[in-house]
Amino acid sequence: MSAVRSLRKLGRAALLGPSPRHALPDAIEHVAKAHRAHHPGADLDALRRAYVLAESSHRGQTRKSGEPYITHPLAVTLILAELGAETTTLTASLLHDTVEDTEVTLEQVRAEFGEEVGYLVDGVTKLEKVDYGAAAEPETFRKMLVATGNDVRVMSIKLADRLHNMRTLGVMRPEKQARIARVTRDVLIPLAERLGVQALKTELEDLAFAVLHPEEYTRTRELIREHNAGADPLAGIAESVRAVLREADIAAEVLIRPRHFLSVHRARAKRGELGPCDFGRLLILVAENADCYAVLGELHTCFTPMMSEFKDFIAVPKFNLYQSLHTAVADTGGRVAEVLVRTHRMHRVAEAGVIALGDPHRAPGASGADPAGEAAAADDGRADPTRPGWLERLLEWQSHAPDPDTFWAELRDDLAQDREITVFCTDPGGPGRTAALHLPAGATCVDAAYARYGAAGHALVGARVDGRLAALGTVLSDGDSLQLLMAPEGTSGPSPQWLEHARTPTARIAIRTWIDACAEDGERSEGAGGQARTARPAAAREPALPPAAVPDGPPAVPGGPRRAVQPRQRPAAVAGMPGAPVRLARCCTPVPPDAVVGFAVRGGAVTAHREGCPTVARMTAAGRETVAVRWQDSGAGCRVTLHAESLSRPHLLADLTEAIAAEGAAVVSAEVEPPREHRVRHTYTLRLEDAGELPRLMRAMREVPGVYDVVRATSPQP
Ligand code: MN
């Protein structure tokens, strides 16, 4: 039932056919047959004439593979015919490379085939390198998108053209393969997705996957091969579903739809290991919309539904025309099958997207209009699907793009907007546990940390992407493997710069909240006259200062001027927990000599409240244990700033801060510079009770694995 598979088979048949010169009818026979299957009354004369012109003008040209050039436009046209494209598209598709590569002129095409065919051929004709140089590719895409704005069939042809070129990419040099695969991934696949052309999108994804991630591709292929060698339990579930639907008197086709390679790869990454039911989904096709819900009702009654998997894309269609019900059910043996339920029409639109909609210039309902297109367009008053909103917006901004580079960069960015990437996140400490994170394209390590750990993402201090150390702002790509290096919770926090790296609302909101809270803390503490023990977002570098550190110097308040805090004139609160930083609660702002009581909060810090504060009563009632806190004259001791030069590794920061705490020193502030060549410099400002303890402290720090030097800073940190 896979359209992709049947496309491949027919594509191969066309290529293996006899030489087109001597077998003209055979050469377009497949195209004609596929076309007639969707459009029984189609007039094939234009197709025949287009073939004759294309074949004669490309004659003598060969593809890189050595095959006659005409095999390419034929294969492209067959792809479109299979998806149900109407005759004008197919005519233009046969001619799509003539103006670019042969003596045929656009005027000639217009004269012989009419304005529409001329427009489509012009739309997909590349701009010359001679005229545009390096800008030829971006400018060609710009031109193509503008043409698509007037007639979406331009992009249909381009997508099919790219699919055939990707299928035959193997003859190219590896660098060229990778370059083409990247443009396919960044531009063509998102366009196919947005235009709803699932059949082209999935095959393009697998072809790009094979080029860009050959090892994962091979591993996935092996998994699928192993799976196919055994019995498919989905077959048994499909049989039970058929019986249930027969019993309920609902006419339905129940099919097993294998996942494509990239989908298997993603599913495996998401679930760790794949069960035998995970290599495909059940596809249930029915006649009417209402039947979809009837099927759903039976499924959810006769099997155990996994309600979290239920999605109604009929009531709430995706932006790209896609409609279906998604659910998952478990049979009596506990085997879970994912199920898609849709009508035949929805299925066709899901596979072929805008290609199923036919001629965009023909009013819906006009005679000869494509029946599927008519139904889709008339359905529910949705905006014209051949002129979707994203395309309007794209056409608007592209007209302001000052140069081809800007256009090209913005285009990929724009198309990435609602694309999702999957990165595979391994806990460095854990026993190789990997979680798949689904992030919007453009997401960085910062986004990944918050997606993985929620607000505890604040503790991010470093990251490895595909095994290599990476800056926190590194933009992740689909399929990256990621290790997030986390400080012990509460010892590190985000800097305002992180906002520049955060793309996801989750991360942005968490960071903003943190920074606002820090700023407010600083103000309150200062106003209360107590020594400010505030969290302090790092001003200059990431990762940030520990939130619970005790700044003796002026705290940097984001967005505000630095303000002086009188150092050590007032007693500070210290907890009965060695080394635990203390924050003065904002609800009651204790000042000496108030009696104070503390509660351990986030990552070992302690919040000090006045004894009579209602929060204390509430927290005690809630079973929270109090921590002894007292005021202390902090005039004693000394401050020192140390640089620790180390080889970067997971948990380094944690181990170093632990060694420091074990020596009885308090961390006032800490900074970690972005690693360079696997080396990293940590800078700590510490407070010691006694300067005489310094040599022992430095020795202890040098003994932390990975640390190769600890030196005193020549000037103290600000
Ligand atoms: Mn072509």
Side-chain angles (χ1 to χ4, degrees):
M1 186 55 222
S2 161
V4 173
R5 204 168 293 165
S6 65
L7 271 178
R8 277 195 192 130
K9 211 164 69 203
L10 282 162
R12 222 167 282 140
L15 293 175
L16 295 173
S19 157
R21 185 172 175 184
H22 304 293
L24 184 144
D26 282 357
I28 56 165
E29 188 199 318
H30 290 297
V31 171
K33 196 172 158 219
H35 189 36
R36 278 257 163 87
H38 289 279
H39 304 269
D43 177 4
L44 300 180
D45 183 55
L47 282 185
R48 203 167 286 126
R49 286 188 294 118
Y51 173 74
V52 170
L53 177 60
E55 196 279 324
S56 62
S57 58
H58 284 300
R59 199 173 297 163
Q61 295 176 345
T62 53
R63 300 205 88 211
K64 198 143 184 143
S65 61
E67 288 169 305
Y69 196 88
I70 189 67
T71 56
H72 168 65
L74 265 178
V76 172
T77 308
L78 185 61
I79 289 166
L80 290 164
E82 274 288 298
L83 289 171
E86 45 66 69
T87 315
T88 308
T89 309
L90 302 186
T91 308
S93 160
L94 282 169
L95 297 167
H96 83 267
D97 278 332
T98 53
V99 173
E100 191 173 306
D101 293 335
T102 76
E103 299 295 308
V104 174
T105 63
L106 201 53
E107 288 63 41
Q108 194 182 343
V109 171
R110 281 205 191 95
E112 292 185 30
F113 297 92
E115 276 302 318
E116 278 190 26
V117 171
Y119 186 86
L120 298 180
V121 171
D122 186 25
V124 293
T125 298
K126 283 194 194 104
L127 297 170
E128 300 269 8
K129 278 234 168 61
V130 195
D131 301 326
Y132 288 86
E137 186 169 35
E139 287 300 322
T140 296
F141 268 99
R142 194 206 290 248
K143 168 174 170 271
M144 221 173 278
L145 283 161
V146 171
T148 299
N150 292 319
D151 194 329
V152 76
R153 293 175 296 181
V154 170
M155 195 49 70
S156 304
I157 297 172
K158 179 62 194 176
L159 289 171
D161 178 42
R162 178 56 64 105
L163 176 56
H164 185 245
N165 286 334
M166 286 292 294
R167 281 178 184 169
T168 52
L169 203 59
V171 294
M172 303 281 185
R173 292 192 317 277
E175 318 85 84
K176 194 161 185 194
Q177 289 189 27
R179 198 186 64 78
I180 293 173
R182 271 194 299 272
V183 173
T184 301
R185 179 192 65 192
D186 294 347
V187 179
L188 276 310
I189 290 173
L191 285 170
E193 156 120 58
R194 286 171 182 224
L195 294 171
V197 197
Q198 190 73 14
L200 299 191
K201 188 204 132 194
T202 50
E203 191 181 345
L204 284 171
E205 278 185 338
D206 278 355
L207 292 164
F209 179 40
V211 173
L212 297 175
H213 301 277
E215 282 170 22
E216 286 91 334
Y217 181 83
T218 307
R219 206 177 310 140
T220 306
R221 192 180 54 196
E222 198 50 33
L223 275 176
I224 293 173
R225 205 189 53 77
E226 282 167 20
H227 169 78
N228 289 345
D232 188 352
L234 281 181
I237 302 179
E239 204 37 64
S240 319
V241 170
R242 280 185 203 110
V244 162
L245 297 180
R246 251 195 320 270
E247 185 82 357
D249 206 18
I250 302 170
E253 254 181 274
V254 181
L255 307 158
I256 296 172
R257 196 174 158 76
R259 286 178 183 275
H260 68 299
F261 281 41
L262 189 62
S263 173
V264 169
H265 173 68
R266 284 181 176 151
R268 176 162 179 268
K270 189 171 170 182
R271 297 167 201 186
E273 284 309 311
L274 287 184
C277 287
D278 295 334
F279 286 81
R281 296 190 259 211
L282 297 187
L283 173 64
I284 304 180
L285 297 176
V286 294
E288 304 290 333
N289 284 18
D291 296 340
C292 295
Y293 294 97
V295 168
L296 189 75
E298 292 302 322
L299 289 177
H300 285 191
T301 308
C302 301
F303 300 87
T304 310
M306 312 278 118
M307 284 317 288
S308 60
E309 298 291 318
F310 174 64
K311 293 190 191 87
D312 185 348
F313 293 120
I314 295 177
V316 188
K318 289 189 180 180
F319 63 91
N320 61 3
L321 309 171
Y322 179 84
Q323 289 186 300
S324 276
L325 299 178
H326 289 198
T327 191
V329 294
D331 70 358
T332 47
R335 292 173 302 188
V336 177
E338 284 186 36
V339 188
L340 312 175
V341 188
R342 48 174 86 140
T343 64
H344 290 279
R345 183 189 65 72
M346 289 173 194
H347 182 55
R348 201 177 144 204
V349 173
E351 288 290 292
V354 290
I355 298 175
L357 300 183
D359 183 348
H361 300 303
R362 206 165 288 175
S367 73
D370 177 273
E374 203 182 308
D379 236 353
D380 47 21
R382 265 184 283 150
D384 177 3
T386 66
R387 195 72 205 255
W390 61 265
L391 184 55
E392 293 289 338
R393 288 191 293 278
L394 196 156
L395 294 173
E396 163 58 22
W397 69 251
Q398 72 79 25
S399 66
H400 303 295
D403 56 71
D405 285 345
T406 307
F407 166 72
W408 196 228
E410 290 292 328
L411 175 65
R412 282 177 299 182
D413 204 44
D414 185 354
L415 291 177
Q417 285 292 323
D418 39 33
R419 236 182 84 225
E420 196 177 72
I421 60 164
T422 305
V423 301
F424 308 112
C425 184
T426 312
D427 290 348
R433 235 161 42 81
T434 299
L437 300 177
H438 302 285
L439 299 165
T444 64
C445 302
V446 170
D447 293 298
Y450 286 97
R452 179 87 177 90
Y453 297 114
H458 289 325
L460 180 70
V461 287
R464 283 172 198 274
V465 176
D466 287 338
R468 242 167 306 176
L469 291 163
L472 300 188
T474 302
V475 172
L476 300 167
S477 301
D478 198 25
D480 278 348
S481 74
L482 177 68
Q483 249 188 10
L484 297 171
L485 312 178
M486 310 300 287
E489 207 182 343
T491 62
S492 183
S495 74
Q497 281 72 25
W498 284 26
L499 282 173
E500 292 164 26
H501 305 316
R503 223 205 121 90
T504 52
T506 316
R508 300 187 67 81
I509 290 166
I511 297 165
R512 279 231 183 75
T513 308
W514 170 274
I515 289 169
D516 291 350
C518 290
E520 206 181 324
D521 255 357
E523 260 172 57
R524 288 296 198 101
S525 306
E526 195 186 337
Q531 185 169 334
R533 291 188 164 239
T534 60
R536 189 175 90 161
R541 293 194 191 96
E542 60 183 34
L545 300 172
V550 188
D552 275 348
V557 179
R562 285 169 159 250
R563 55 193 88 176
V565 173
Q566 297 283 328
R568 276 177 255 146
Q569 285 181 343
R570 297 269 184 175
V574 294
M577 286 165 61
V582 179
R583 308 171 71 169
L584 301 177
R586 281 186 279 160
C587 48
C588 56
T589 55
V591 287
D594 293 338
V596 282
V597 60
F599 294 95
V601 292
R602 185 165 45 198
V606 170
T607 308
H609 295 260
R610 292 163 69 164
E611 247 179 24
C613 172
T615 308
V616 174
R618 215 168 35 239
M619 289 176 78
T620 314
R624 293 282 297 269
E625 294 205 1
T626 57
V627 174
V629 180
R630 63 193 162 82
W631 299 102
Q632 189 195 46
D633 185 343
S634 57
C638 75
R639 264 178 83 197
V640 63
T641 296
L642 300 176
H643 298 305
E645 309 282 349
S646 320
L647 296 169
S648 182
R649 64 170 176 86
H651 288 301
L652 178 64
L653 182 69
D655 293 346
L656 266 169
T657 48
E658 199 183 307
I660 292 165
E663 293 301 317
V667 179
V668 175
S669 70
E671 277 186 37
V672 180
E673 291 177 26
R676 259 184 227 114
E677 314 284 348
H678 294 254
R679 291 198 321 230
V680 64
R681 169 187 263 204
H682 291 202
T683 302
Y684 295 97
T685 298
L686 306 172
R687 178 172 3 197
L688 298 164
E689 292 303 319
D690 179 352
E693 294 163 7
L694 185 59
R696 209 181 64 176
L697 170 69
M698 288 170 71
R699 244 191 337 266
M701 288 172 72
R702 283 197 196 100
E703 272 162 24
V704 171
V707 176
Y708 58 87
D709 205 4
V710 177
V711 293
R712 278 193 77 164
T714 44
S715 61
Q717 291 294 103

